[in-house]
Amino acid sequence: MRIGIIGAGFIGRAVAQLALAAGHEVMLSNSRGPQTMSSVRSGIAGCEVGNAEEAARFAELALVAIPFAHYHSVPARWLEGKIVMDANNYYPDRDGRFPALDRFETTTTRLLAEHLPGSRVVKVFNAILAQDLEKDARLRGAADRRALPIAGDDGEAKSVVSTLLDDLGYDAVDAGGLDDSWRFERAKPAYCIPFGVEGLKLALAQAEREIEVPEGAWRREATVSGPI
């Protein structure tokens, strides 16, 4: 597939590396334009670069991996009719306050989907540290293969994303619809902790909407070998 990535930060670059290794075509973009992406040209062999509109139009499957506060900056018309993978997380200290999120009335991915009404949005890649994406990838059937959660309202779109995860070295666990994606947002038991399929299912089930795991706890756990 052609994968267009809007956001050339650590997550976007890691997904690009894995996707290229799996035989997909990739275009990375950032808000400043391809002239600022010399490190991508030199460091990620085979990766195309462009501006955000070019990456969106290039994509059969798009990834939005930008700071959550800027999700409105992606024009909906660019992604009309496409599957859009959402890797965003809400960090109030970085993004400012979103009262509807603070009141647990919605999810980050629901907000993006409302902004992109013509797209099929799937939450994925937000619950793994960027440095772990390449490190933890494993061949299908490996005993220590990590699972990643996904959520979305479109079953076909989730199937496409699950297939991509398999290509990239991960099992997929369906956490439900967009309104269930809070179960693996920031500071939940499944957030950035390495689990296999059964462990991830348990962590998702243990999540409580209004209770956050202390930041120090999940950051500490995510830096060690977790329960695969």
Side-chain angles (χ1 to χ4, degrees):
M1 289 185 293
R2 294 192 308 276
I3 301 172
I5 301 176
I6 299 174
F10 294 126
I11 287 288
R13 292 182 187 220
V15 171
Q17 294 272 26
L18 290 172
L20 287 164
H24 299 286
E25 299 176 62
V26 179
M27 180 181 288
L28 266 168
S29 68
N30 66 15
S31 60
R32 295 169 294 158
Q35 70 278 3
T36 67
M37 300 176 68
S38 58
S39 62
V40 173
R41 293 182 190 274
S42 61
I44 306 180
C47 186
E48 298 185 47
V49 298
N51 60 39
E53 181 175 3
E54 289 169 336
R57 298 195 185 283
F58 168 89
E60 295 174 289
L61 183 60
L63 170 64
V64 175
I66 60 178
F68 172 70
H70 303 304
Y71 77 91
H72 274 116
S73 69
V74 182
R77 67 183 183 279
W78 294 353
L79 296 166
E80 187 82 24
K82 299 190 178 186
I83 297 172
V84 176
M85 300 181 290
D86 172 32
N88 295 321
N89 285 304
Y90 172 46
Y91 281 88
D93 290 346
R94 178 196 66 189
D95 299 315
R97 287 288 178 182
F98 285 72
L101 293 175
D102 294 337
R103 293 192 298 265
F104 310 104
E105 294 172 353
T106 188
T107 66
T108 56
T109 307
R110 174 61 69 190
L111 290 175
L112 180 64
E114 290 171 351
H115 175 63
L116 303 174
S119 302
R120 296 183 287 168
V121 178
V122 178
K123 186 78 164 181
V124 66
F125 294 124
N126 71 298
I128 183 170
L129 298 175
Q131 62 263 33
D132 290 345
L133 260 170
E134 291 184 81
K135 177 177 68 68
D136 288 355
R138 298 288 188 274
L139 294 175
R140 187 183 302 114
D144 61 344
R145 201 181 207 212
R146 182 169 174 173
L148 294 180
I150 66 172
D153 294 341
D154 186 298
E156 182 183 5
K158 286 196 286 190
S159 179
V160 170
V161 172
S162 295
T163 298
L164 177 67
L165 282 179
D166 187 40
D167 287 348
L168 271 51
Y170 292 91
D171 292 325
V173 170
D174 189 342
L178 295 181
D179 294 330
D180 301 305
S181 61
W182 63 268
R183 290 187 175 276
F184 54 98
E185 289 182 340
R186 177 186 58 80
K188 298 303 180 188
Y191 186 66
C192 293
I193 310 298
F195 289 105
V197 169
E198 295 307 317
L200 180 55
K201 288 179 179 178
L202 179 60
L204 291 168
Q206 289 174 336
E208 298 180 72
R209 188 69 190 266
E210 299 186 16
I211 296 178
E212 294 188 345
V213 176
E215 182 175 344
W218 66 256
R219 283 190 182 275
R220 181 176 62 254
E221 291 297 328
T223 63
V224 300
S225 179
I228 295 290

